[in-house]
Amino acid sequence: MLFIRFSCVAAYDGRKLDVFVLSPESTSYQSVERSPTFPWLPLAAIPRFIRQSLADGETATLRAFRSWVREQQPD
């Protein structure tokens, strides 16, 4: 049997985005407040863009998201 472990997993339940990181000590996933891949990106803001895409469409929302991400990135 093959087991694949991902170092980081995200789950969206329709309201909230949760990120889980594999803990090497316990070999279980722990919930984190910031993504290890994008530590400067506030996860709580992401569901807003998911909801926006349902109203405004994917293309318009992706443009808005890219603009917002550029504003969030550290200099």
Side-chain angles (χ1 to χ4, degrees):
M1 183 174 283
L2 174 67
F3 291 98
I4 299 173
R5 295 184 184 188
F6 296 94
S7 61
C8 184
V9 177
Y12 178 66
D13 68 2
R15 297 182 332 263
K16 182 180 171 196
L17 178 68
D18 292 306
V19 173
F20 301 91
V21 174
L22 184 61
S23 170
E25 300 84 32
S26 65
T27 66
S28 65
Y29 288 92
Q30 306 298 319
S31 178
V32 294
E33 295 296 317
R34 298 265 179 191
S35 164
T37 307
F38 305 105
W40 45 266
L41 188 68
L43 295 176
I46 304 300
R48 171 174 59 108
F49 290 100
I50 296 171
R51 289 188 299 273
Q52 181 181 344
S53 72
L54 298 174
D56 298 342
E58 189 175 316
T59 302
T61 303
L62 281 173
R63 285 187 189 122
F65 180 72
R66 285 183 191 124
S67 175
W68 177 80
V69 165
R70 286 185 194 105
E71 294 170 5
Q72 303 304 307
Q73 289 180 331
D75 294 329

